């Protein structure tokens, strides 16, 4: 019995599916934009937020940057990340559902701020000690936890490919695809480990780390792991052969040179 076209396409390795896709450049670019957005988020907030003389040099969490001079920057960056994730189609409806959930959560994190008793002196938002809750949990926390779970599942389940014949070279060394698979696994488990640490921190609130920005550190690690995973999927890391942007540039340059050659009689 002949398999439906959609099923046959889904069973193809990524490389073959993308080779058949006229939008392969856009596919890889979208993955890289998602990864870059994630990696830039903590960096932009840490190093470019303006502070008064009496303000903390670093916020307790990334979410607390909502109450700084870069509060709107946080919202915009999360919204951009959400749009990129929503635009990404994936190869199965489950993967698309997960990226859509992550997109909604990214935007939700930005527009459902965390609670705080004291804002940065240069903050563009007033401090909010009470925020919307769903049952016993703040909506902000639900969005954040769901986001990390969704992107961890994508990294662990949908990014790695299991066609073993393409994971080892003849000499027994790992192929680029195998290295990417390993990176996805490391990133996915790192995200889940960081989320677990943050949940335990909120439940226990150990006094010996009260002056250490536990949430900020582990949020950052998780977001960077997310970004690295997507950069790897976009083949900025561990590419098969020539990087797709360099290849596109070389081909465009060759085409331009051909069109500029004089036509012989």
């Amino acid at each position: 019995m002949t398999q439906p076209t959609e099923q046959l396409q889904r069973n193809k390795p990524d490389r073959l599916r993308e080779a058949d896709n006229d939008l392969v450049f856009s596919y890889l670019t979208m993955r890289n934009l998602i990864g870059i957005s994630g990696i830039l988020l903590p960096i932009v907030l840490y190093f470019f937020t303006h502070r008064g003389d009496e303000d903390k040099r670093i916020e307790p969490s990334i979410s607390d940057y909502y109450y700084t001079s870069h509060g709107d920057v946080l919202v915009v960056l999360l919204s951009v990340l959400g749009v990129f994730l929503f635009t990404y189609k994936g190869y199965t409806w489950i993967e698309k559902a997960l990226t859509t959930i992550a997109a909604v959560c990214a935007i939700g994190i930005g527009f459902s701020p965390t609670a705080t008793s004291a804002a940065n002196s240069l903050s563009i938002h007033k401090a909010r000690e009470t925020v919307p809750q769903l049952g016993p949990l703040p909506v902000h926390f639900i969005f954040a936890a769901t986001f990390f779970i969704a992107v961890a599942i994508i990294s662990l389940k949908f990014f790695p490919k299991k066609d073993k014949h393409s994971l080892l070279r003849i000499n027994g060394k790992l192929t680029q695809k195998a290295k990417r698979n390993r990176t996805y696994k490391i990133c996915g488990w790192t995200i889940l480990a960081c989320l677990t640490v943050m949940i335990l921190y909120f439940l226990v609130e150990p006094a010996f780390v009260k002056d250490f920005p536990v949430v900020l550190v582990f949020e950052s690690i998780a977001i960077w792991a997310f970004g690295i995973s997507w950069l790897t999927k976009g083949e900025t890391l561990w590419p098969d052969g020539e990087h797709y942007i360099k290849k596109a540039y070389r081909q465009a340059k060759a085409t331009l040179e051909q069109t500029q050659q004089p036509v012989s009689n």
Side-chain angles (χ1 to χ4, degrees):
M1 183 176 179
T2 304
Q3 288 182 294
T5 303
E6 182 181 351
Q7 181 67 30
L8 291 171
Q9 182 71 5
R10 189 162 54 240
N11 289 338
K12 286 184 179 181
D14 277 1
R15 178 62 56 196
L16 293 179
R17 283 185 284 188
E18 291 175 355
D20 296 337
N21 189 341
D22 292 336
L23 298 178
V24 61
F25 185 88
S26 297
Y27 244 77
L28 294 174
T29 299
M30 183 57 65
R31 292 168 183 162
N32 283 312
L33 287 174
I34 291 170
I36 291 169
S37 298
I39 288 174
L40 283 180
L41 177 62
I43 295 173
V44 170
L45 296 175
Y46 300 163
F47 294 107
F48 297 97
T49 295
H50 304 296
R51 298 176 175 86
D53 293 335
E54 302 300 322
D55 290 330
K56 297 186 293 290
R57 306 317 299 170
I58 193 169
E59 300 298 322
S61 71
I62 290 176
S63 301
D64 281 294
Y65 280 86
Y66 180 86
Y67 299 106
T68 67
S69 62
H70 270 35
D72 280 349
V73 174
L74 171 65
V75 175
V76 169
L77 288 175
L78 287 169
S79 298
V80 168
L81 177 59
V83 170
F84 286 156
L85 284 165
F86 186 78
T87 305
Y88 182 75
K89 296 184 181 300
Y91 287 121
T92 69
W93 71 267
I94 300 176
E95 186 179 3
K96 175 57 181 173
L98 286 169
T99 54
T100 301
I101 290 170
V104 171
C105 289
I107 296 172
I109 292 168
F111 287 93
S112 300
T114 188
T116 187
S117 57
N120 179 293
S121 65
L122 302 178
S123 174
I124 60 174
H125 299 126
K126 293 182 179 180
R128 301 184 188 182
E129 294 192 36
T130 59
V131 293
Q133 295 205 170
L134 186 61
L137 297 175
V139 171
H140 177 89
F141 178 84
I142 295 172
F143 277 133
T146 305
F147 172 83
F148 283 127
I149 291 171
V151 297
I153 292 173
I154 292 169
S155 188
L156 289 169
K157 178 67 177 176
F158 293 96
F159 280 0
K161 300 306 169 188
K162 299 178 181 178
D163 41 330
K164 294 182 180 179
H165 66 279
S166 65
L167 299 181
L168 287 177
R169 294 190 175 95
I170 296 175
N171 59 9
K173 293 184 177 181
L174 295 177
T175 63
Q176 296 293 78
K177 178 177 286 188
K179 293 175 182 178
R180 292 197 298 272
N181 278 0
R182 183 170 56 186
T183 302
Y184 302 141
K185 295 289 186 180
I186 292 172
C187 289
W189 286 116
T190 297
I191 294 169
L192 291 178
C194 288
L195 178 60
T196 301
V197 169
M198 288 186 285
I199 291 173
L200 290 174
Y201 173 78
F202 284 123
L203 291 175
V204 179
E205 296 185 354
F208 67 92
V209 291
K210 66 177 182 178
D211 295 324
F212 182 76
V214 173
V215 177
L216 180 72
V217 169
F218 284 95
E219 273 183 331
S220 301
I221 294 172
I223 290 173
W224 283 329
F226 156 74
I228 290 169
S229 179
W230 281 83
L231 285 176
T232 303
K233 190 63 176 176
E235 296 195 25
T236 289
L237 303 175
W238 312 116
D240 286 328
E242 190 176 23
H243 191 279
Y244 77 101
I245 293 180
K246 184 178 179 181
K247 181 179 179 181
Y249 171 77
R250 180 174 52 78
Q251 292 175 340
K253 184 178 179 181
T255 302
L256 181 60
E257 289 174 349
Q258 288 179 354
T259 59
Q260 292 176 342
Q261 291 178 355
V263 180
S264 58
N265 293 328

